[in-house]
Amino acid sequence: MTGFVVLAGTFTVGVLASAPLSLRNGRIRRPTMSSAPPSESSAPPSEFSEPSATPAAKHRHPPLPAAIADLLASGAVTLVQLSSTFCAPCRHARAVLSTIAAGSERLKHVELDLTERPEVAEALRVLRTPTTIAFDADGTELLRVSGVPKLAALRKALEPHVASHRMNTLPHDVSGSVPSGS
């Protein structure tokens, strides 16, 4: 009987400890304001808000690692998926990001394996894989997603950045999953 109580208690603690992590999975975040001057950081980052048209709203980390800068596409938003060798959710994130990038000429999806490049993870402050960071052609971080992105939310968040070329209509699934053909 004591073994059952210990097992039930361990299970309960595990579920309660993992709940905050699962709520953050796939949430779209604006770039951190730590590199912006104090006058620009008047509002805390929210889940996602529309980008401002003023250059002051852009946030740049310290210089991008060369491995990332070389991946950026000119005239497009680049979705950089940071993965690791044994990351099972990374495959699902790859499918979601490939699907959304196929919907616009102004979106490019690239994947970088961090297994052999821990310095890139440190420079970009990436703590888990998959993490997706959207960069404009100048290397400015537009948004960040930890975990598997939700397709509909990511499309909505990226739309203002690719407004001159509307994204093609793609199948939407409210759960964020990719159609079975992918």
Side-chain angles (χ1 to χ4, degrees), residues 5 7 12 14 16 19 31-32 37 47 63 119 131 155 174 182:
V5 171
L7 180 63
T12 303
L16 293 175
T32 59
E47 174 120 358
E119 71 281 356
T131 292
R155 285 176 50 88
V174 220
S182 296

Side-chain angles (χ1 to χ4, degrees), residues 14-88:
V15 169
L16 293 175
S18 68
L21 292 176
S22 65
L23 291 174
R24 291 177 45 161
N25 189 37
R27 191 180 93 205
I28 298 171
R29 296 178 290 139
R30 295 184 321 170
T32 59
M33 305 270 197
S34 62
S35 60
S39 62
E40 295 176 22
S41 58
S42 58
S46 63
E47 174 120 358
F48 184 81
S49 63
E50 296 298 319
S52 171
T54 63
K58 290 188 175 184
H59 306 285
R60 182 186 281 279
H61 288 283
L64 288 176
I68 298 295
D70 293 344
L71 297 173
L72 300 182
S74 65
V77 172
T78 305
L79 300 171
V80 179
Q81 177 187 345
L82 302 164
S83 303
S84 56
T85 305
F86 299 104
C87 169

